[in-house]
Amino acid sequence: MSVAFNALQMAEQQIADLDTQLLRRKLRATASPCDTTMSVNNRELKAFCSNDYLGLANHPDLIEALAQGATQFGVGSGASHLISGHNIVHDSLEQKLAAFQISHIPQARSLFFSTGYLANINAITGLVRLAGHGEASIYSAALNHASLIDGVRLASAQMKATVTLFNHRDLSSLTGSLAQDARPLKLIVLDGVFSMDGDIAPLPALLAIAEQYDALLLVDDAHGFGVLGKQGHGILEQFKIHSERIIYIGTLGKAAGVSGAFICATAPFIEWFIQKGRPYIYSTATPPAIAHTVLKSLELIEGDEGIRRREHLHHLIEIWRNEMSFTQWQKESSYTPIQPIILGSNANALAAAKLLDEAGYWIPAIRPPTVPVGSARLRITLSANHSVDDLRALITTLQMIEQKVTQGVPA
Ligand SMILES: *Cc1c(COP(=O)(O)O)cnc(C)c1O
């Protein structure tokens, strides 16, 4: 029997197991741009599930910028940044992204990546490599995004960094472990806005701890960039943070509506990443037309339109906080566009998502390993393109569905 044949059987068995545990995920292809109404399987669904928080993914100015960028710069970059793929528009974008954080990070410089996943892997492994084998400790929040977790695992495997998990809602264990840590490089890593719960990390307290124990603080602001702060600069603006210990990660495919990500930090860290960051060095540069489009998006984010969009978004969040209530389901209202409803079992979450689909809504069930076992949920996300009426209609539908699911009507 050939090896390949065994592997095939294993794949079939593994997938069958996922089916049994109600953990199999299904792809759905949309036939429309990302927006608050989307076309799926010839049906129009009201979408409350994307991360397009400002409603920019289908914005006419950005569509035009992409077309114009392609005309000016072509389609592909053709090589990695250090070979010949680095365009002047990448440079302009990096300068603008650094300007967004300059009042929060002294000597801020930034580095653009094709995805947040890569930026996180690069930042974590790169920082740990500063110290050498066995010389770094990483403190990682238990509910961190998978890309941070993978960065931490890679740093641990490659550089023998020790890894300690902590609870971002109770920092006592973090302080306790740091107090006994004599390694030369200590790195605290966490989401700025937790992606499946929507709560905001207690950054001022974390920074105080980082200063006390001489640690770096890496904040992945994938869900705060564009959303938090008056100008949309993100979590550092929101908390008026100022420190050269901050390694800031922002992503550009969520509120910015386009694609890509960046690391922003004090200049010597960025120079080190250019020299030694393997994901940066060994990956083809993002098409310059994308960088050109992101530049336009940053203009919208900082400008009057961005301010208006954030005001409307925060108004929707207030309505959700005030008007949404359940009798049995657990609502954990946040101050961000991410609003989870924790349903517990995978079966409950799938049943609720199916009833929502029948009512014309697209809100998928989020299950392990994306969230801890027993905390399957609906993850509702709000966008500046939703109207107040859209939101009120959703609230009414969710309350009806709760009654159906908790009364055990077959889904
Ligand atoms: C989406 C996300 C990422 C990954 O960013 P991409 O640009 O989509 O690869 C990283 N961190 C967090 C917290 C995210 O939610």
Side-chain angles (χ1 to χ4, degrees), residues 99-119:
F100 266 37
Q101 308 303 330
I102 191 71
S103 40
H104 310 296
I105 300 177
Q107 271 198 79
R109 190 177 166 192
S110 74
L111 201 60
F112 180 50
F113 287 80
S114 56
T115 72
Y117 197 105
L118 272 190

Side-chain angles (χ1 to χ4, degrees), residues 105 123-124 127 137 139-141 144 148 166 168 171 174 178 185-192 201-211 214-220 235-236 239 241-249 263-265 269:
I105 300 177
I124 298 168
L127 290 168
S137 316
Y139 295 86
S140 179
N144 274 349
L148 291 175
F166 71 93
H168 73 273
L171 302 177
L174 174 65
L178 275 165
L185 191 141
K186 307 175 197 75
L187 174 64
I188 304 170
V189 174
L190 86 171
D191 286 20
L203 220 51
L206 282 157
L207 181 59
I209 293 171
E211 274 167 0
D214 192 21
L216 293 173
L217 180 55
L218 184 152
V219 185
D220 173 356
I235 193 167
L236 304 182
F239 284 119
I241 297 282
H242 182 84
S243 170
E244 58 189 5
R245 295 178 179 280
I246 300 279
I247 313 293
Y248 180 86
I249 314 282
I263 307 175
C264 185
F269 291 127

